[in-house]
């Protein structure tokens, strides 16, 4: 008996494709979508399709959390058991309320800056702690910061991933 209500025929097809083609099917958190706030949906989905995995996009998560009055760290924690990929970038709102996205994440992008700045660094640390083999993709626009700031962001990400920064 099917317990997942998230487009069952689509999920069936994705699971079959993954098995048949030996590829990894990854669902990415995107929004706004009311399914993300169903506390049981992902548990049911991944119980039924255990080979599927999740990509957590920190910038989109911040937008989703702010749009719906949610705590981004609580949302991330809800999805950690299935997260295998991380799209790492920061989103923020400037003093005029304009939204900026795909900004390189700094180690200082933490909870204490929320709700103006997505706590992408805290989310990334949570993912790496829960899923040490998670794939981290730096998904940012390098032109949004100075070359020195970009280098610092890359060094922080390398340290997060447990690697020495390249010199």
């Amino acid at each position: 008996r099917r317990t997942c209500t998230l487009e069952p025929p689509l999920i069936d097809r994705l699971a079959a494709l993954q098995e048949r083609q030996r590829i990894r099917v990854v669902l990415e958190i995107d929004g706004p979508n009311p399914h993300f706030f169903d506390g049981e949906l992902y548990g049911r989905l991944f119980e039924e399709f255990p080979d599927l995995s999740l990509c957590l996009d920190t910038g989109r998560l911040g937008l989703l959390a702010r749009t719906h009055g949610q705590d981004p760290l609580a949302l991330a924690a809800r999805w950690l058991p299935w997260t295998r990929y991380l799209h790492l970038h920061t989103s923020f709102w400037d003093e005029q309320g304009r939204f900026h996205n795909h900004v390189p994440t700094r180690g200082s992008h933490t909870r204490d800056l929320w709700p103006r700045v997505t706590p992408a660094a805290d989310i990334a640390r949570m993912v790496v702690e829960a899923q040490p083999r998670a794939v981290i993709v730096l998904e940012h626009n390098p032109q949004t910061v100075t070359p020195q700031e970009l280098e610092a962001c890359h060094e922080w990400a390398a340290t997060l991933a447990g690697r020495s920064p390249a010199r």
Side-chain angles (χ1 to χ4, degrees), residues 3-117:
T3 59
C4 177
T5 60
L6 182 67
E7 302 293 328
L10 172 62
I11 300 298
D12 284 333
R13 288 194 316 266
L14 291 173
L17 175 69
Q18 177 171 273
E19 186 174 324
R20 187 175 62 250
Q21 299 295 326
R22 290 189 157 93
I23 60 172
R24 169 70 66 188
V25 173
V26 180
L27 306 177
E28 184 170 352
I29 297 298
D30 199 0
N33 185 327
H35 293 296
F36 298 134
F37 304 109
D38 178 342
E40 302 299 318
L41 176 67
Y42 282 99
R44 294 190 315 264
L45 175 68
F46 288 102
E47 183 176 304
E48 196 163 325
F49 301 98
D51 292 330
L52 296 177
S53 60
L54 194 64
C55 175
L56 197 60
D57 183 301
T58 56
R60 289 183 184 183
L61 180 65
L63 178 59
L64 184 66
R66 184 163 160 157
T67 301
H68 294 280
Q70 301 284 319
D71 174 6
L73 295 172
L75 287 176
R78 177 184 299 168
W79 299 318
L80 282 178
W82 310 288
T83 300
R84 301 295 180 270
Y85 298 85
L86 177 70
H87 284 176
L88 181 59
H89 61 103
T90 296
S91 55
F92 72 92
W93 291 260
D94 65 20
E95 293 76 23
Q96 290 76 38
R98 291 179 302 230
F99 178 67
H100 301 268
N101 202 7
H102 291 96
V103 175
T105 298
R106 301 175 188 157
S108 61
H109 292 163
T110 59
R111 175 187 289 276
D112 55 325
L113 299 177
W114 179 255
R116 196 173 84 71
V117 178

